[in-house]
Every structure is written in C-alpha cells, then in structure tokens.
Amino acid sequence: ALGDVNGDGLDDLGLVSWFATSASTYSEFFNVLYGASAGTNIALPNLTAGGSFAGGYAIAAPGNPARFQSFGRATAGDVNGDGYSDLIFRMERNDSTGGNIDIYFGSPTGVFGTANSIGTAGNGYGYEISGFDVRNDKYASSGDINGDGRDDVVINFFNPTTLISQVYVVFGKTSDSPITRASLSTGTSTDGFVIQGGLAASQNTQVDVVGDF
C-alpha cells in the first residue's frame, strides 16, 4: 500500500507493469491504483506514455528500457506537507547517468509523464535526487527530522572507492527543484546534511529511523 496518494481517505496501491512491442523493446510504468470501497475490477491500459485511466494513473519510466527499482518501498510519506502521500523510487536509467532517486508529489488529480519530467525545476510533479548508486544504495522515509512539518528521506550511500558508507538526510520541501548528492555534501546545504565517517564498510548497510526518543 502507498498510503493515501489522492487524498480521498482510502489507501492506494502501487504496481509495476511492462508493455512489450517486441522482444527487445518495451515500456515500463509505475501504476497508482486508487483505493475503493467496492470491489470493481481495474483494467490496466496498454499505454505508450504516462497518463490516467479508470481507477488510477501511470508514471512512465524514461528510455527504452528503463526500470523502476525498489518499487516495493514506494511511499515517501508527505515530503511537501500538502496532506497527500508522496512516492519515492530508485530509478535505474538506460543511459550514462545510471539513475536517480525520484520523488513524486501526491495529488487529487495524479501525476503523469515520464520520470525525465522531474529532472528540472518548474515541472510541478516532484523532483529527483541525483548522484547515488541506484543498484546498491538504500533509502527510507524518516518522518520529520527537522520539525518543519514535512517528512524527510534518509539515504545510505556506499562509496566503492573509500569502502565507507555515508548517510544523507534530505529534508522534505515544497519546491520541485532537483537535488544533487554533491550539494548535500557541502555542509552548507539547506536541503539536508551528511553523517560522515566509518559507518560500515559494506554495501549491505541498512538505514532505518527510530522515531522521537
């Protein structure tokens, strides 16, 4: 379950679907299926781009192929503080960038388009956090660490050169401007901070949040 993405009082569901046009060509979508009090069947359309359908909407992965990673942990809490549950993915791209961690804002009308659409400010859908290894790094929704009324995101980054892990705390925000790992590392970023030093020489380090103790 994703939480209540569209604000109708019912928790929603998320699933990934693939539509192939040949053995080597396919499109991948993350589908948000709205919760419902009646057991009405939902038919996923054969989409060529993101968009709405009866009972939900689809977000298209970029490229051909491209993949939504770790879609099982797709809820980011409410990172922009608007009352709707938001979505978070590790997005593996079929290009030289390797991928990003993508956050989509929940809304009563849904978000559409491809994951490429949140790479620039002003898109209105959400934002990307770049500079992480989407195949190895772990993330978790953390609750409100800095007390601003918005949920934050914690990311464990494994540095393959130094063999040391770092933990990045990314503050929730209302802006859709993208964030980079480099900017978070400066120590002066308003978007979050880094916990440095000897945290674990392993790609298998887990990150979690313990609440307010």
Side-chain angles (χ1 to χ4, degrees), residues 5-47:
V5 175
N6 64 336
D8 63 356
L10 303 172
D11 286 343
D12 306 314
L13 300 175
L15 60 88
V16 167
S17 61
W18 292 23
F19 293 103
T21 56
S22 71
S24 60
T25 304
Y26 62 86
S27 299
E28 183 168 328
F29 301 88
F30 186 88
N31 301 277
V32 175
L33 309 180
Y34 297 143
S37 56
T40 304
N41 293 340
I42 298 174
L44 297 180
N46 190 356
L47 297 172

PDB file of all heavy atoms in Angstrom, residues 5-47:
ATOM      1  N   VAL A   5      -2.567   8.554  -1.627  1.00  0.00           N
ATOM      2  CA  VAL A   5      -1.894   9.434  -2.576  1.00  0.00           C
ATOM      3  C   VAL A   5      -2.824  10.521  -3.101  1.00  0.00           C
ATOM      4  O   VAL A   5      -2.390  11.650  -3.352  1.00  0.00           O
ATOM      5  CB  VAL A   5      -1.316   8.609  -3.752  1.00  0.00           C
ATOM      6  CG1 VAL A   5      -0.720   9.517  -4.819  1.00  0.00           C
ATOM      7  CG2 VAL A   5      -0.260   7.633  -3.239  1.00  0.00           C
ATOM      8  N   ASN A   6      -4.111  10.207  -3.275  1.00  0.00           N
ATOM      9  CA  ASN A   6      -5.025  11.186  -3.869  1.00  0.00           C
ATOM     10  C   ASN A   6      -5.952  11.859  -2.855  1.00  0.00           C
ATOM     11  O   ASN A   6      -6.825  12.631  -3.229  1.00  0.00           O
ATOM     12  CB  ASN A   6      -5.850  10.553  -4.986  1.00  0.00           C
ATOM     13  CG  ASN A   6      -6.763   9.442  -4.480  1.00  0.00           C
ATOM     14  OD1 ASN A   6      -6.501   8.842  -3.444  1.00  0.00           O
ATOM     15  ND2 ASN A   6      -7.828   9.163  -5.218  1.00  0.00           N
ATOM     16  N   GLY A   7      -5.787  11.572  -1.565  1.00  0.00           N
ATOM     17  CA  GLY A   7      -6.492  12.297  -0.524  1.00  0.00           C
ATOM     18  C   GLY A   7      -7.974  12.029  -0.429  1.00  0.00           C
ATOM     19  O   GLY A   7      -8.728  12.884   0.044  1.00  0.00           O
ATOM     20  N   ASP A   8      -8.416  10.815  -0.816  1.00  0.00           N
ATOM     21  CA  ASP A   8      -9.841  10.505  -0.729  1.00  0.00           C
ATOM     22  C   ASP A   8     -10.193   9.719   0.531  1.00  0.00           C
ATOM     23  O   ASP A   8     -11.324   9.256   0.683  1.00  0.00           O
ATOM     24  CB  ASP A   8     -10.302   9.748  -1.971  1.00  0.00           C
ATOM     25  CG  ASP A   8      -9.612   8.390  -2.125  1.00  0.00           C
ATOM     26  OD1 ASP A   8      -8.723   8.070  -1.303  1.00  0.00           O
ATOM     27  OD2 ASP A   8      -9.961   7.658  -3.080  1.00  0.00           O
ATOM     28  N   GLY A   9      -9.222   9.546   1.431  1.00  0.00           N
ATOM     29  CA  GLY A   9      -9.466   8.834   2.672  1.00  0.00           C
ATOM     30  C   GLY A   9      -9.222   7.341   2.589  1.00  0.00           C
ATOM     31  O   GLY A   9      -9.348   6.641   3.595  1.00  0.00           O
ATOM     32  N   LEU A  10      -8.833   6.842   1.417  1.00  0.00           N
ATOM     33  CA  LEU A  10      -8.562   5.421   1.216  1.00  0.00           C
ATOM     34  C   LEU A  10      -7.110   5.238   0.785  1.00  0.00           C
ATOM     35  O   LEU A  10      -6.597   5.993  -0.055  1.00  0.00           O
ATOM     36  CB  LEU A  10      -9.481   4.840   0.140  1.00  0.00           C
ATOM     37  CG  LEU A  10     -10.998   4.979   0.382  1.00  0.00           C
ATOM     38  CD1 LEU A  10     -11.757   4.535  -0.845  1.00  0.00           C
ATOM     39  CD2 LEU A  10     -11.417   4.183   1.612  1.00  0.00           C
ATOM     40  N   ASP A  11      -6.429   4.244   1.372  1.00  0.00           N
ATOM     41  CA  ASP A  11      -5.062   3.963   0.951  1.00  0.00           C
ATOM     42  C   ASP A  11      -5.055   3.404  -0.471  1.00  0.00           C
ATOM     43  O   ASP A  11      -5.989   2.708  -0.895  1.00  0.00           O
ATOM     44  CB  ASP A  11      -4.399   2.958   1.896  1.00  0.00           C
ATOM     45  CG  ASP A  11      -4.026   3.591   3.226  1.00  0.00           C
ATOM     46  OD1 ASP A  11      -3.982   4.837   3.296  1.00  0.00           O
ATOM     47  OD2 ASP A  11      -3.770   2.843   4.189  1.00  0.00           O
ATOM     48  N   ASP A  12      -3.976   3.698  -1.193  1.00  0.00           N
ATOM     49  CA  ASP A  12      -3.863   3.312  -2.595  1.00  0.00           C
ATOM     50  C   ASP A  12      -2.794   2.225  -2.769  1.00  0.00           C
ATOM     51  O   ASP A  12      -1.994   1.969  -1.866  1.00  0.00           O
ATOM     52  CB  ASP A  12      -3.527   4.540  -3.436  1.00  0.00           C
ATOM     53  CG  ASP A  12      -4.534   5.662  -3.213  1.00  0.00           C
ATOM     54  OD1 ASP A  12      -5.741   5.369  -3.230  1.00  0.00           O
ATOM     55  OD2 ASP A  12      -4.110   6.814  -3.001  1.00  0.00           O
ATOM     56  N   LEU A  13      -2.775   1.612  -3.929  1.00  0.00           N
ATOM     57  CA  LEU A  13      -1.850   0.529  -4.243  1.00  0.00           C
ATOM     58  C   LEU A  13      -0.924   0.944  -5.371  1.00  0.00           C
ATOM     59  O   LEU A  13      -1.284   1.771  -6.211  1.00  0.00           O
ATOM     60  CB  LEU A  13      -2.611  -0.735  -4.658  1.00  0.00           C
ATOM     61  CG  LEU A  13      -3.584  -1.336  -3.648  1.00  0.00           C
ATOM     62  CD1 LEU A  13      -4.329  -2.511  -4.279  1.00  0.00           C
ATOM     63  CD2 LEU A  13      -2.847  -1.790  -2.393  1.00  0.00           C
ATOM     64  N   GLY A  14       0.275   0.345  -5.408  1.00  0.00           N
ATOM     65  CA  GLY A  14       1.208   0.601  -6.494  1.00  0.00           C
ATOM     66  C   GLY A  14       1.715  -0.696  -7.079  1.00  0.00           C
ATOM     67  O   GLY A  14       1.949  -1.664  -6.361  1.00  0.00           O
ATOM     68  N   LEU A  15       1.867  -0.737  -8.399  1.00  0.00           N
ATOM     69  CA  LEU A  15       2.460  -1.907  -9.045  1.00  0.00           C
ATOM     70  C   LEU A  15       3.129  -1.470 -10.334  1.00  0.00           C
ATOM     71  O   LEU A  15       2.789  -0.447 -10.933  1.00  0.00           O
ATOM     72  CB  LEU A  15       1.418  -2.996  -9.305  1.00  0.00           C
ATOM     73  CG  LEU A  15       0.226  -2.684 -10.191  1.00  0.00           C
ATOM     74  CD1 LEU A  15       0.550  -2.950 -11.663  1.00  0.00           C
ATOM     75  CD2 LEU A  15      -0.971  -3.535  -9.783  1.00  0.00           C
ATOM     76  N   VAL A  16       4.110  -2.277 -10.756  1.00  0.00           N
ATOM     77  CA  VAL A  16       4.839  -2.008 -11.990  1.00  0.00           C
ATOM     78  C   VAL A  16       4.309  -2.904 -13.092  1.00  0.00           C
ATOM     79  O   VAL A  16       4.037  -4.082 -12.877  1.00  0.00           O
ATOM     80  CB  VAL A  16       6.349  -2.239 -11.798  1.00  0.00           C
ATOM     81  CG1 VAL A  16       7.074  -2.279 -13.136  1.00  0.00           C
ATOM     82  CG2 VAL A  16       6.948  -1.140 -10.926  1.00  0.00           C
ATOM     83  N   SER A  17       4.131  -2.346 -14.295  1.00  0.00           N
ATOM     84  CA  SER A  17       3.707  -3.129 -15.452  1.00  0.00           C
ATOM     85  C   SER A  17       4.642  -2.864 -16.619  1.00  0.00           C
ATOM     86  O   SER A  17       5.196  -1.768 -16.747  1.00  0.00           O
ATOM     87  CB  SER A  17       2.265  -2.793 -15.840  1.00  0.00           C
ATOM     88  OG  SER A  17       2.141  -1.426 -16.191  1.00  0.00           O
ATOM     89  N   TRP A  18       4.823  -3.871 -17.446  1.00  0.00           N
ATOM     90  CA  TRP A  18       5.629  -3.757 -18.663  1.00  0.00           C
ATOM     91  C   TRP A  18       4.739  -4.015 -19.866  1.00  0.00           C
ATOM     92  O   TRP A  18       3.899  -4.909 -19.844  1.00  0.00           O
ATOM     93  CB  TRP A  18       6.756  -4.791 -18.685  1.00  0.00           C
ATOM     94  CG  TRP A  18       7.830  -4.595 -17.680  1.00  0.00           C
ATOM     95  CD1 TRP A  18       7.760  -3.924 -16.498  1.00  0.00           C
ATOM     96  CD2 TRP A  18       9.152  -5.113 -17.770  1.00  0.00           C
ATOM     97  NE1 TRP A  18       8.948  -3.987 -15.837  1.00  0.00           N
ATOM     98  CE2 TRP A  18       9.831  -4.719 -16.588  1.00  0.00           C
ATOM     99  CE3 TRP A  18       9.838  -5.863 -18.707  1.00  0.00           C
ATOM    100  CZ2 TRP A  18      11.155  -5.051 -16.344  1.00  0.00           C
ATOM    101  CZ3 TRP A  18      11.154  -6.200 -18.460  1.00  0.00           C
ATOM    102  CH2 TRP A  18      11.811  -5.792 -17.289  1.00  0.00           C
ATOM    103  N   PHE A  19       4.960  -3.245 -20.919  1.00  0.00           N
ATOM    104  CA  PHE A  19       4.273  -3.477 -22.178  1.00  0.00           C
ATOM    105  C   PHE A  19       5.323  -3.587 -23.276  1.00  0.00           C
ATOM    106  O   PHE A  19       6.059  -2.642 -23.534  1.00  0.00           O
ATOM    107  CB  PHE A  19       3.275  -2.354 -22.489  1.00  0.00           C
ATOM    108  CG  PHE A  19       2.115  -2.304 -21.536  1.00  0.00           C
ATOM    109  CD1 PHE A  19       2.062  -1.350 -20.528  1.00  0.00           C
ATOM    110  CD2 PHE A  19       1.084  -3.220 -21.630  1.00  0.00           C
ATOM    111  CE1 PHE A  19       1.002  -1.305 -19.645  1.00  0.00           C
ATOM    112  CE2 PHE A  19       0.015  -3.187 -20.736  1.00  0.00           C
ATOM    113  CZ  PHE A  19      -0.027  -2.236 -19.757  1.00  0.00           C
ATOM    114  N   ALA A  20       5.416  -4.754 -23.889  1.00  0.00           N
ATOM    115  CA  ALA A  20       6.434  -5.019 -24.909  1.00  0.00           C
ATOM    116  C   ALA A  20       5.844  -4.883 -26.302  1.00  0.00           C
ATOM    117  O   ALA A  20       4.736  -5.353 -26.580  1.00  0.00           O
ATOM    118  CB  ALA A  20       7.014  -6.404 -24.718  1.00  0.00           C
ATOM    119  N   THR A  21       6.604  -4.228 -27.179  1.00  0.00           N
ATOM    120  CA  THR A  21       6.229  -4.167 -28.591  1.00  0.00           C
ATOM    121  C   THR A  21       7.081  -5.101 -29.433  1.00  0.00           C
ATOM    122  O   THR A  21       6.765  -5.356 -30.591  1.00  0.00           O
ATOM    123  CB  THR A  21       6.369  -2.732 -29.119  1.00  0.00           C
ATOM    124  OG1 THR A  21       7.710  -2.264 -28.883  1.00  0.00           O
ATOM    125  CG2 THR A  21       5.395  -1.806 -28.393  1.00  0.00           C
ATOM    126  N   SER A  22       8.168  -5.613 -28.859  1.00  0.00           N
ATOM    127  CA  SER A  22       9.000  -6.631 -29.490  1.00  0.00           C
ATOM    128  C   SER A  22       9.794  -7.307 -28.395  1.00  0.00           C
ATOM    129  O   SER A  22       9.674  -6.960 -27.217  1.00  0.00           O
ATOM    130  CB  SER A  22       9.934  -6.021 -30.542  1.00  0.00           C
ATOM    131  OG  SER A  22      10.947  -5.252 -29.910  1.00  0.00           O
ATOM    132  N   ALA A  23      10.638  -8.266 -28.767  1.00  0.00           N
ATOM    133  CA  ALA A  23      11.423  -8.992 -27.769  1.00  0.00           C
ATOM    134  C   ALA A  23      12.424  -8.093 -27.068  1.00  0.00           C
ATOM    135  O   ALA A  23      12.832  -8.371 -25.938  1.00  0.00           O
ATOM    136  CB  ALA A  23      12.146 -10.166 -28.433  1.00  0.00           C
ATOM    137  N   SER A  24      12.824  -6.993 -27.691  1.00  0.00           N
ATOM    138  CA  SER A  24      13.845  -6.117 -27.113  1.00  0.00           C
ATOM    139  C   SER A  24      13.340  -4.706 -26.836  1.00  0.00           C
ATOM    140  O   SER A  24      14.102  -3.862 -26.358  1.00  0.00           O
ATOM    141  CB  SER A  24      15.057  -6.042 -28.049  1.00  0.00           C
ATOM    142  OG  SER A  24      14.681  -5.538 -29.314  1.00  0.00           O
ATOM    143  N   THR A  25      12.092  -4.423 -27.141  1.00  0.00           N
ATOM    144  CA  THR A  25      11.554  -3.081 -26.960  1.00  0.00           C
ATOM    145  C   THR A  25      10.356  -3.141 -26.032  1.00  0.00           C
ATOM    146  O   THR A  25       9.405  -3.887 -26.295  1.00  0.00           O
ATOM    147  CB  THR A  25      11.120  -2.475 -28.299  1.00  0.00           C
ATOM    148  OG1 THR A  25      12.233  -2.478 -29.199  1.00  0.00           O
ATOM    149  CG2 THR A  25      10.633  -1.051 -28.102  1.00  0.00           C
ATOM    150  N   TYR A  26      10.409  -2.387 -24.958  1.00  0.00           N
ATOM    151  CA  TYR A  26       9.291  -2.381 -24.027  1.00  0.00           C
ATOM    152  C   TYR A  26       9.242  -1.051 -23.281  1.00  0.00           C
ATOM    153  O   TYR A  26      10.214  -0.295 -23.255  1.00  0.00           O
ATOM    154  CB  TYR A  26       9.389  -3.537 -23.028  1.00  0.00           C
ATOM    155  CG  TYR A  26      10.615  -3.492 -22.136  1.00  0.00           C
ATOM    156  CD1 TYR A  26      10.608  -2.762 -20.944  1.00  0.00           C
ATOM    157  CD2 TYR A  26      11.774  -4.183 -22.471  1.00  0.00           C
ATOM    158  CE1 TYR A  26      11.716  -2.713 -20.127  1.00  0.00           C
ATOM    159  CE2 TYR A  26      12.889  -4.142 -21.657  1.00  0.00           C
ATOM    160  CZ  TYR A  26      12.858  -3.415 -20.487  1.00  0.00           C
ATOM    161  OH  TYR A  26      13.960  -3.366 -19.683  1.00  0.00           O
ATOM    162  N   SER A  27       8.104  -0.797 -22.705  1.00  0.00           N
ATOM    163  CA  SER A  27       7.915   0.374 -21.850  1.00  0.00           C
ATOM    164  C   SER A  27       7.526  -0.107 -20.464  1.00  0.00           C
ATOM    165  O   SER A  27       6.802  -1.092 -20.323  1.00  0.00           O
ATOM    166  CB  SER A  27       6.815   1.278 -22.409  1.00  0.00           C
ATOM    167  OG  SER A  27       7.155   1.758 -23.696  1.00  0.00           O
ATOM    168  N   GLU A  28       8.023   0.591 -19.429  1.00  0.00           N
ATOM    169  CA  GLU A  28       7.710   0.210 -18.059  1.00  0.00           C
ATOM    170  C   GLU A  28       7.005   1.364 -17.369  1.00  0.00           C
ATOM    171  O   GLU A  28       7.348   2.528 -17.571  1.00  0.00           O
ATOM    172  CB  GLU A  28       8.971  -0.173 -17.297  1.00  0.00           C
ATOM    173  CG  GLU A  28       8.686  -0.658 -15.890  1.00  0.00           C
ATOM    174  CD  GLU A  28       9.912  -1.302 -15.233  1.00  0.00           C
ATOM    175  OE1 GLU A  28      10.720  -1.912 -15.963  1.00  0.00           O
ATOM    176  OE2 GLU A  28      10.055  -1.179 -14.023  1.00  0.00           O
ATOM    177  N   PHE A  29       6.003   1.017 -16.555  1.00  0.00           N
ATOM    178  CA  PHE A  29       5.181   2.018 -15.881  1.00  0.00           C
ATOM    179  C   PHE A  29       5.010   1.659 -14.417  1.00  0.00           C
ATOM    180  O   PHE A  29       4.908   0.480 -14.068  1.00  0.00           O
ATOM    181  CB  PHE A  29       3.784   2.106 -16.525  1.00  0.00           C
ATOM    182  CG  PHE A  29       3.802   2.470 -17.973  1.00  0.00           C
ATOM    183  CD1 PHE A  29       3.913   1.489 -18.945  1.00  0.00           C
ATOM    184  CD2 PHE A  29       3.715   3.790 -18.365  1.00  0.00           C
ATOM    185  CE1 PHE A  29       3.934   1.819 -20.287  1.00  0.00           C
ATOM    186  CE2 PHE A  29       3.732   4.133 -19.708  1.00  0.00           C
ATOM    187  CZ  PHE A  29       3.849   3.144 -20.671  1.00  0.00           C
ATOM    188  N   PHE A  30       4.986   2.696 -13.574  1.00  0.00           N
ATOM    189  CA  PHE A  30       4.534   2.510 -12.201  1.00  0.00           C
ATOM    190  C   PHE A  30       3.092   2.975 -12.139  1.00  0.00           C
ATOM    191  O   PHE A  30       2.784   4.119 -12.471  1.00  0.00           O
ATOM    192  CB  PHE A  30       5.383   3.302 -11.205  1.00  0.00           C
ATOM    193  CG  PHE A  30       5.019   2.992  -9.785  1.00  0.00           C
ATOM    194  CD1 PHE A  30       5.625   1.943  -9.118  1.00  0.00           C
ATOM    195  CD2 PHE A  30       4.058   3.738  -9.117  1.00  0.00           C
ATOM    196  CE1 PHE A  30       5.276   1.638  -7.815  1.00  0.00           C
ATOM    197  CE2 PHE A  30       3.697   3.438  -7.822  1.00  0.00           C
ATOM    198  CZ  PHE A  30       4.311   2.380  -7.164  1.00  0.00           C
ATOM    199  N   ASN A  31       2.215   2.085 -11.720  1.00  0.00           N
ATOM    200  CA  ASN A  31       0.792   2.357 -11.692  1.00  0.00           C
ATOM    201  C   ASN A  31       0.325   2.614 -10.268  1.00  0.00           C
ATOM    202  O   ASN A  31       0.631   1.840  -9.358  1.00  0.00           O
ATOM    203  CB  ASN A  31       0.014   1.172 -12.254  1.00  0.00           C
ATOM    204  CG  ASN A  31       0.399   0.850 -13.681  1.00  0.00           C
ATOM    205  OD1 ASN A  31      -0.101   1.455 -14.622  1.00  0.00           O
ATOM    206  ND2 ASN A  31       1.310  -0.109 -13.855  1.00  0.00           N
ATOM    207  N   VAL A  32      -0.378   3.711 -10.064  1.00  0.00           N
ATOM    208  CA  VAL A  32      -1.040   4.007  -8.810  1.00  0.00           C
ATOM    209  C   VAL A  32      -2.514   3.653  -8.973  1.00  0.00           C
ATOM    210  O   VAL A  32      -3.198   4.196  -9.844  1.00  0.00           O
ATOM    211  CB  VAL A  32      -0.889   5.492  -8.434  1.00  0.00           C
ATOM    212  CG1 VAL A  32      -1.694   5.804  -7.172  1.00  0.00           C
ATOM    213  CG2 VAL A  32       0.580   5.842  -8.219  1.00  0.00           C
ATOM    214  N   LEU A  33      -2.985   2.714  -8.167  1.00  0.00           N
ATOM    215  CA  LEU A  33      -4.372   2.265  -8.222  1.00  0.00           C
ATOM    216  C   LEU A  33      -5.089   2.808  -7.002  1.00  0.00           C
ATOM    217  O   LEU A  33      -4.724   2.508  -5.858  1.00  0.00           O
ATOM    218  CB  LEU A  33      -4.448   0.740  -8.256  1.00  0.00           C
ATOM    219  CG  LEU A  33      -3.578   0.053  -9.323  1.00  0.00           C
ATOM    220  CD1 LEU A  33      -3.740  -1.458  -9.243  1.00  0.00           C
ATOM    221  CD2 LEU A  33      -3.937   0.557 -10.707  1.00  0.00           C
ATOM    222  N   TYR A  34      -6.108   3.625  -7.217  1.00  0.00           N
ATOM    223  CA  TYR A  34      -6.812   4.264  -6.122  1.00  0.00           C
ATOM    224  C   TYR A  34      -7.578   3.228  -5.299  1.00  0.00           C
ATOM    225  O   TYR A  34      -8.186   2.294  -5.844  1.00  0.00           O
ATOM    226  CB  TYR A  34      -7.797   5.307  -6.643  1.00  0.00           C
ATOM    227  CG  TYR A  34      -7.160   6.468  -7.371  1.00  0.00           C
ATOM    228  CD1 TYR A  34      -7.773   7.042  -8.480  1.00  0.00           C
ATOM    229  CD2 TYR A  34      -5.942   7.000  -6.950  1.00  0.00           C
ATOM    230  CE1 TYR A  34      -7.198   8.118  -9.140  1.00  0.00           C
ATOM    231  CE2 TYR A  34      -5.363   8.066  -7.605  1.00  0.00           C
ATOM    232  CZ  TYR A  34      -5.987   8.618  -8.706  1.00  0.00           C
ATOM    233  OH  TYR A  34      -5.407   9.674  -9.354  1.00  0.00           O
ATOM    234  N   GLY A  35      -7.553   3.419  -3.971  1.00  0.00           N
ATOM    235  CA  GLY A  35      -8.358   2.581  -3.106  1.00  0.00           C
ATOM    236  C   GLY A  35      -9.836   2.773  -3.399  1.00  0.00           C
ATOM    237  O   GLY A  35     -10.266   3.832  -3.868  1.00  0.00           O
ATOM    238  N   ALA A  36     -10.629   1.730  -3.139  1.00  0.00           N
ATOM    239  CA  ALA A  36     -12.061   1.801  -3.423  1.00  0.00           C
ATOM    240  C   ALA A  36     -12.806   0.954  -2.409  1.00  0.00           C
ATOM    241  O   ALA A  36     -12.307  -0.084  -1.957  1.00  0.00           O
ATOM    242  CB  ALA A  36     -12.364   1.312  -4.839  1.00  0.00           C
ATOM    243  N   SER A  37     -13.991   1.406  -2.039  1.00  0.00           N
ATOM    244  CA  SER A  37     -14.803   0.653  -1.081  1.00  0.00           C
ATOM    245  C   SER A  37     -15.556  -0.486  -1.744  1.00  0.00           C
ATOM    246  O   SER A  37     -16.000  -1.413  -1.076  1.00  0.00           O
ATOM    247  CB  SER A  37     -15.796   1.606  -0.396  1.00  0.00           C
ATOM    248  OG  SER A  37     -16.596   2.282  -1.351  1.00  0.00           O
ATOM    249  N   ALA A  38     -15.714  -0.439  -3.062  1.00  0.00           N
ATOM    250  CA  ALA A  38     -16.394  -1.502  -3.804  1.00  0.00           C
ATOM    251  C   ALA A  38     -15.364  -2.296  -4.600  1.00  0.00           C
ATOM    252  O   ALA A  38     -14.345  -1.760  -5.037  1.00  0.00           O
ATOM    253  CB  ALA A  38     -17.436  -0.911  -4.751  1.00  0.00           C
ATOM    254  N   GLY A  39     -15.623  -3.566  -4.782  1.00  0.00           N
ATOM    255  CA  GLY A  39     -14.678  -4.442  -5.467  1.00  0.00           C
ATOM    256  C   GLY A  39     -14.819  -4.385  -6.973  1.00  0.00           C
ATOM    257  O   GLY A  39     -15.192  -5.380  -7.617  1.00  0.00           O
ATOM    258  N   THR A  40     -14.521  -3.240  -7.563  1.00  0.00           N
ATOM    259  CA  THR A  40     -14.617  -3.081  -9.014  1.00  0.00           C
ATOM    260  C   THR A  40     -13.290  -3.435  -9.672  1.00  0.00           C
ATOM    261  O   THR A  40     -12.236  -2.960  -9.246  1.00  0.00           O
ATOM    262  CB  THR A  40     -14.990  -1.630  -9.371  1.00  0.00           C
ATOM    263  OG1 THR A  40     -16.206  -1.276  -8.715  1.00  0.00           O
ATOM    264  CG2 THR A  40     -15.149  -1.467 -10.868  1.00  0.00           C
ATOM    265  N   ASN A  41     -13.326  -4.274 -10.696  1.00  0.00           N
ATOM    266  CA  ASN A  41     -12.106  -4.648 -11.403  1.00  0.00           C
ATOM    267  C   ASN A  41     -11.499  -3.443 -12.115  1.00  0.00           C
ATOM    268  O   ASN A  41     -12.217  -2.546 -12.575  1.00  0.00           O
ATOM    269  CB  ASN A  41     -12.396  -5.745 -12.433  1.00  0.00           C
ATOM    270  CG  ASN A  41     -12.783  -7.057 -11.784  1.00  0.00           C
ATOM    271  OD1 ASN A  41     -12.498  -7.275 -10.608  1.00  0.00           O
ATOM    272  ND2 ASN A  41     -13.429  -7.921 -12.548  1.00  0.00           N
ATOM    273  N   ILE A  42     -10.155  -3.443 -12.201  1.00  0.00           N
ATOM    274  CA  ILE A  42      -9.428  -2.386 -12.901  1.00  0.00           C
ATOM    275  C   ILE A  42      -8.636  -3.017 -14.035  1.00  0.00           C
ATOM    276  O   ILE A  42      -7.908  -3.991 -13.821  1.00  0.00           O
ATOM    277  CB  ILE A  42      -8.474  -1.639 -11.956  1.00  0.00           C
ATOM    278  CG1 ILE A  42      -9.262  -0.942 -10.838  1.00  0.00           C
ATOM    279  CG2 ILE A  42      -7.629  -0.616 -12.716  1.00  0.00           C
ATOM    280  CD1 ILE A  42      -8.377  -0.299  -9.788  1.00  0.00           C
ATOM    281  N   ALA A  43      -8.766  -2.487 -15.228  1.00  0.00           N
ATOM    282  CA  ALA A  43      -8.014  -2.965 -16.387  1.00  0.00           C
ATOM    283  C   ALA A  43      -6.902  -1.967 -16.695  1.00  0.00           C
ATOM    284  O   ALA A  43      -7.175  -0.789 -16.981  1.00  0.00           O
ATOM    285  CB  ALA A  43      -8.934  -3.122 -17.591  1.00  0.00           C
ATOM    286  N   LEU A  44      -5.639  -2.417 -16.628  1.00  0.00           N
ATOM    287  CA  LEU A  44      -4.528  -1.535 -16.965  1.00  0.00           C
ATOM    288  C   LEU A  44      -4.474  -1.365 -18.484  1.00  0.00           C
ATOM    289  O   LEU A  44      -4.441  -2.347 -19.216  1.00  0.00           O
ATOM    290  CB  LEU A  44      -3.207  -2.113 -16.457  1.00  0.00           C
ATOM    291  CG  LEU A  44      -3.067  -2.269 -14.948  1.00  0.00           C
ATOM    292  CD1 LEU A  44      -1.694  -2.851 -14.609  1.00  0.00           C
ATOM    293  CD2 LEU A  44      -3.261  -0.940 -14.243  1.00  0.00           C
ATOM    294  N   PRO A  45      -4.450  -0.136 -18.967  1.00  0.00           N
ATOM    295  CA  PRO A  45      -4.415   0.080 -20.424  1.00  0.00           C
ATOM    296  C   PRO A  45      -3.028  -0.183 -20.982  1.00  0.00           C
ATOM    297  O   PRO A  45      -2.024  -0.159 -20.256  1.00  0.00           O
ATOM    298  CB  PRO A  45      -4.796   1.551 -20.557  1.00  0.00           C
ATOM    299  CG  PRO A  45      -4.296   2.167 -19.284  1.00  0.00           C
ATOM    300  CD  PRO A  45      -4.503   1.125 -18.221  1.00  0.00           C
ATOM    301  N   ASN A  46      -2.948  -0.433 -22.252  1.00  0.00           N
ATOM    302  CA  ASN A  46      -1.666  -0.606 -22.942  1.00  0.00           C
ATOM    303  C   ASN A  46      -1.154   0.770 -23.337  1.00  0.00           C
ATOM    304  O   ASN A  46      -1.331   1.232 -24.453  1.00  0.00           O
ATOM    305  CB  ASN A  46      -1.843  -1.492 -24.168  1.00  0.00           C
ATOM    306  CG  ASN A  46      -0.515  -1.901 -24.776  1.00  0.00           C
ATOM    307  OD1 ASN A  46       0.548  -1.457 -24.330  1.00  0.00           O
ATOM    308  ND2 ASN A  46      -0.556  -2.732 -25.798  1.00  0.00           N
ATOM    309  N   LEU A  47      -0.518   1.441 -22.382  1.00  0.00           N
ATOM    310  CA  LEU A  47      -0.108   2.828 -22.576  1.00  0.00           C
ATOM    311  C   LEU A  47       1.193   2.914 -23.364  1.00  0.00           C
ATOM    312  O   LEU A  47       2.032   2.019 -23.322  1.00  0.00           O
ATOM    313  CB  LEU A  47       0.084   3.504 -21.216  1.00  0.00           C
ATOM    314  CG  LEU A  47      -1.151   3.635 -20.327  1.00  0.00           C
ATOM    315  CD1 LEU A  47      -0.733   4.142 -18.954  1.00  0.00           C
ATOM    316  CD2 LEU A  47      -2.162   4.588 -20.958  1.00  0.00           C
TER     317      LEU A  47
END
